[in-house]
Amino acid sequence: MAAEAKTAYERVQAARNGKRPMGSYYIEHMLDDFVELHGDRRFGDDAAIVAGIGYLNQIPVTVIAMERGDTIEERMKRNFGCPEPEGYRKALRLMKEAEKFRRPIICFIGSSGAYCGIEAEKRGQGLAIAENLYEMMGMKTPIISVVVGEGGSGGALALGVCDTAIMLENAVYSVISPEGCASILWKDASKAPDAAEHLRLTSFDLLSFDVVEKVIPEEGKTNREICSALKSVLLDEIRKLSAMSPEELLDHRYAKFRKIGA
Amino acid sequence: MSTIKTILNTITGTVEQPPRICKKCSAEIPYADYLANHCICPECGAYFRMRAVERLDATVDKGTFQEIDKKLKSKNPIKFPDYAEKLEKAEKASGLSEGVVCGTAKVGGMDCALFIMDSAFMMGSMGTVVGEKITRLFEKAAQLRLPVIGFITSGGARMQEGIYSLMQMAKVSGAVKRHSEAGLLYIAVLTDPTTGGITASFAMQGDIIIAEPKALIGFAGQRVIEQTTGEKLPAGFQRAEFQLEHGFVDLIEERPRMTYTLAKLLALHQTH
């Protein structure tokens, strides 16, 4: 079975691969008439998160996507995909805009984590994530989160409070990086492959834990094929979630997280 | 017998406690003096990390605390190596079944729900049981229409429970939100240390956020920041005073005045 083909750490490496498509790819190949919207209206604009509105087939959707960039210049500009507080605040601002117009929200997650820096702390990195978790729990419009790369801890979860969670087959989603885990537990970051195995961070692990609802197969598929498979799953989910009343939707979202570790 | 003696007796089998040694100035403090001085070193003024029972004793009206979900214990949801042994050790060392104590009580004569994290149990880290207990407390408080006071100390999410730990951040946030939407008060008291996924969830979701002096409060670990940026951290970085200066906590309160301040705030929020 293809699911057994890769070790957990091979999947971590695949998720981090510099050639792997990130948020912008899916925006470009999935949406029509996309308009990018910038800034948190507080302090700045974080290029590690690309956000805006476009059509998914004929349905207007708001997309919030982590993006690390391809070239070295772009990666510098996008802080290698590690969001600062402004990125999370921009995301929240645009999610609220989507809520106002009852427009579904799609989040693309792929980042080693929220940026760890002095300035990020001064501007409330913890608060920014906490506010997203809190507000997303009450957002009266469908939210679908797709982990397309590395889902790095709280910085990933800040776009991960949703009604339906989807992972690409080789994406990973973890409370801590395997390197971080290995260096804390065994004082040896080179044991990351072991840690990756034990952390149970693959898409199939998370599907079996009922933390994600869908896995999009990748083996033997081109990026375009993966993208179009994901698009049809997104359309199905939007159709299903849009049929719910706001109250049903929020109860459903609460229950989805409430059952984890209950 | 006072609450603390009863509880200490229950968890350690004896009310006799050895003297505490101050890490800052090495002073040896008889336990009775230590307790009477709010777990602050009488010589140098350093704050010790309070145990949950000590905090309870200092905070709630005598004899009013009713613990909830006392026996809830962590399993090993992702079968992480050596975790079961670690849990057993933590239980022995702390006298607790997990890193948070939850219940209802009166503070200054007013009813409230409380959760008190205890760093003696695996640094107060949050796995499924800590997440579940705090979630249930907020749900119960919403049902009983009680304000919640949370004394927070935690190293963050507990990595030995993998994704289950991370998801507790979302789960608790949902319960905090529902409690808040019922028009009820949540006061978060941040004590040393409050870091990682806890700062990035319920520590920063209080209507009112109080910090203890000099408490370490932040998202990213200091070593991680130094390694990531290569920069030297400024003096007082991520301390309570730093967070006050940058606008993230409402006030810093000295420990001897904490209960008084909490009672005042509870009274100010009473709606009838």
Side-chain angles (χ1 to χ4, degrees), chain A residues 137 157 160-163 165 173 211 251-262, chain B residues 132 166-172 174:
Chain A
M137 272 292 175
L157 186 63
V161 175
C162 59
D163 304 301
Y173 198 177
V211 171
D251 284 346
H252 169 266
R253 191 178 304 154
Y254 189 81
K256 167 175 160 56
F257 289 91
R258 184 64 190 85
K259 72 179 192 297
I260 302 174
Chain B
E132 180 69 17
L166 185 69
M167 293 299 150
Q168 301 309 306
M169 291 166 60
K171 182 166 106 179
V172 176

Side-chain angles (χ1 to χ4, degrees), chain B residues 72-103:
Chain B
L72 221 52
K73 272 193 195 183
S74 285
K75 297 193 183 96
N76 190 353
I78 60 167
K79 307 274 173 289
F80 201 90
D82 306 326
Y83 180 43
E85 293 74 31
K86 254 184 203 155
L87 283 172
E88 221 169 283
K89 247 194 228 164
E91 206 177 317
K92 277 211 184 101
S94 67
L96 296 172
S97 60
E98 251 297 344
V100 67
V101 175
C102 298

Side-chain angles (χ1 to χ4, degrees), chain A:
Chain A
M1 194 181 142
E4 309 300 332
K6 279 191 164 73
T7 66
Y9 200 62
E10 281 166 351
R11 290 195 200 277
V12 171
Q13 288 169 316
R16 289 175 179 167
N17 189 312
K19 294 206 175 69
R20 189 176 175 84
M22 285 293 130
S24 303
Y25 176 90
Y26 296 98
I27 290 174
E28 190 184 324
H29 290 89
M30 226 180 248
L31 297 185
D32 301 314
D33 294 344
F34 181 71
V35 182
E36 185 175 355
L37 303 169
H38 293 273
D40 68 348
R41 305 237 180 114
R42 294 284 184 275
F43 182 82
D45 183 42
D46 183 357
I49 289 183
V50 177
I53 313 173
Y55 289 105
L56 188 74
N57 282 5
Q58 275 81 47
I59 307 164
V61 294
T62 287
V63 171
I64 317 277
M66 296 181 177
E67 177 54 56
R68 52 134 158 69
D70 290 328
T71 64
I72 185 69
E73 292 77 20
E74 209 194 331
R75 285 194 185 175
M76 302 281 284
K77 180 183 132 198
R78 298 193 185 279
N79 202 23
F80 297 85
C82 294
E84 307 238 17
E86 295 70 46
Y88 296 116
R89 290 182 180 133
K90 168 167 71 178
L92 184 58
R93 177 177 80 83
L94 292 170
M95 285 192 260
K96 285 189 170 170
E97 201 269 352
E99 181 185 40
K100 177 173 167 183
F101 297 99
R102 297 285 330 264
R103 189 188 306 124
I105 299 163
I106 303 169
C107 297
F108 290 99
I109 297 168
S111 168
S112 59
Y115 186 63
C116 297
I118 294 170
E119 293 304 313
E121 293 290 315
K122 277 189 188 168
R123 300 199 303 272
Q125 187 70 287
L127 176 75
I129 296 169
E131 284 188 324
N132 280 21
L133 303 184
Y134 183 86
E135 295 295 341
M136 289 172 85
M137 272 292 175
M139 202 69 72
K140 292 189 183 95
T141 196
I143 307 175
I144 303 171
S145 295
V146 190
V147 189
V148 296
E150 184 174 16
S153 196
L157 186 63
L159 299 186
V161 175
C162 59
D163 304 301
T164 306
I166 301 171
M167 280 177 86
L168 298 197
E169 180 179 344
N170 290 326
V172 295
Y173 198 177
S174 182
V175 66
I176 187 170
S177 73
E179 291 76 10
C181 178
S183 62
I184 293 171
L185 279 187
W186 306 309
K187 315 272 174 250
D188 183 359
S190 73
K191 289 193 175 145
D194 287 341
E197 212 61 59
H198 293 309
L199 282 167
R200 307 288 307 272
L201 43 63
T202 72
S203 58
F204 296 102
D205 289 329
L206 269 67
L207 188 67
S208 75
F209 299 152
D210 229 0
V211 171
V212 305
E213 282 73 34
K214 293 243 154 41
V215 171
I216 309 292
E218 285 188 55
E219 287 310 314
K221 301 230 176 342
T222 65
N223 289 336
R224 293 301 282 268
E225 286 168 339
I226 294 166
C227 190
S228 94
L230 176 59
K231 185 175 178 177
S232 68
V233 170
L234 287 171
L235 285 165
D236 278 353
E237 290 300 315
I238 288 173
R239 210 167 297 130
K240 212 169 65 191
L241 297 169
S242 298
M244 293 186 188
S245 72
E247 293 69 32
E248 281 173 333
L249 192 67
L250 293 187
D251 284 346
H252 169 266
R253 191 178 304 154
Y254 189 81
K256 167 175 160 56
F257 289 91
R258 184 64 190 85
K259 72 179 192 297
I260 302 174

Side-chain angles (χ1 to χ4, degrees), chain B residues 109-130:
Chain B
M110 289 161 284
D111 289 316
C112 62
L114 294 116
F115 70 91
I116 304 168
M117 302 180 86
D118 193 319
S119 60
F121 195 104
M122 292 187 77
M123 269 318 295
S125 59
M126 177 165 64
T128 47
V129 169
V130 170

Side-chain angles (χ1 to χ4, degrees), chain B residues 8-270:
Chain B
L8 281 174
N9 194 21
T10 328
I11 66 172
T12 63
T14 169
V15 293
E16 292 306 316
Q17 289 287 309
R20 297 294 192 259
I21 312 293
C22 178
K23 277 186 190 154
K24 286 254 166 68
C25 74
S26 308
E28 192 180 306
I29 315 155
Y31 188 69
D33 297 353
Y34 171 79
L35 210 53
N37 205 38
H38 308 274
C39 310
I40 300 169
C41 174
E43 301 295 323
C44 74
Y47 276 47
F48 283 65
R49 289 176 182 173
M50 276 174 106
R51 297 297 315 275
V53 285
E54 294 164 343
R55 184 71 73 173
L56 265 176
D57 186 62
T59 309
V60 306
D61 300 353
K62 294 236 174 303
T64 62
F65 183 67
Q66 290 192 304
E67 191 168 357
I68 304 168
D69 296 322
K70 183 180 176 167
K71 297 245 164 2
L72 221 52
K73 272 193 195 183
S74 285
K75 297 193 183 96
N76 190 353
I78 60 167
K79 307 274 173 289
F80 201 90
D82 306 326
Y83 180 43
E85 293 74 31
K86 254 184 203 155
L87 283 172
E88 221 169 283
K89 247 194 228 164
E91 206 177 317
K92 277 211 184 101
S94 67
L96 296 172
S97 60
E98 251 297 344
V100 67
V101 175
C102 298
T104 57
K106 283 185 192 292
V107 173
M110 289 161 284
D111 289 316
C112 62
L114 294 116
F115 70 91
I116 304 168
M117 302 180 86
D118 193 319
S119 60
F121 195 104
M122 292 187 77
M123 269 318 295
S125 59
M126 177 165 64
T128 47
V129 169
V130 170
E132 180 69 17
K133 283 178 83 167
I134 298 175
T135 301
R136 285 189 194 180
L137 186 80
F138 274 96
E139 288 175 340
K140 192 174 180 85
Q143 201 189 343
L144 299 174
R145 299 209 53 82
L146 293 176
V148 172
I149 298 174
F151 287 95
I152 296 169
T153 176
S154 178
R158 189 177 294 167
M159 63 186 157
Q160 290 89 346
E161 293 191 23
I163 198 73
Y164 283 93
S165 295
L166 185 69
M167 293 299 150
Q168 301 309 306
M169 291 166 60
K171 182 166 106 179
V172 176
S173 297
V176 174
K177 181 148 186 66
R178 293 203 157 189
H179 178 261
S180 178
E181 281 171 352
L184 299 165
L185 171 69
Y186 165 36
I187 303 176
V189 183
L190 313 187
T191 74
D192 187 66
T194 298
T195 59
I198 304 305
T199 302
S201 60
F202 56 85
M204 286 289 159
Q205 291 166 346
D207 295 297
I208 293 175
I209 303 177
I210 306 177
E212 285 200 331
K214 297 197 180 78
L216 178 76
I217 300 160
F219 173 64
Q222 300 209 338
R223 230 176 344 141
V224 178
I225 296 176
E226 279 178 331
Q227 282 165 2
T228 309
T229 63
E231 287 177 66
K232 208 174 142 27
L233 303 178
F237 180 63
Q238 290 182 326
R239 295 286 160 187
E241 297 72 16
F242 170 97
Q243 298 297 356
L244 184 74
E245 187 192 331
H246 289 96
F248 298 111
V249 302
D250 288 283
L251 68 154
I252 295 175
E253 188 52 284
E254 301 274 349
R255 205 174 268 170
R257 292 172 49 86
M258 187 65 82
T259 305
Y260 174 62
T261 299
L262 288 171
K264 265 202 300 191
L265 286 168
L266 287 178
L268 285 164
H269 283 83
Q270 293 213 326

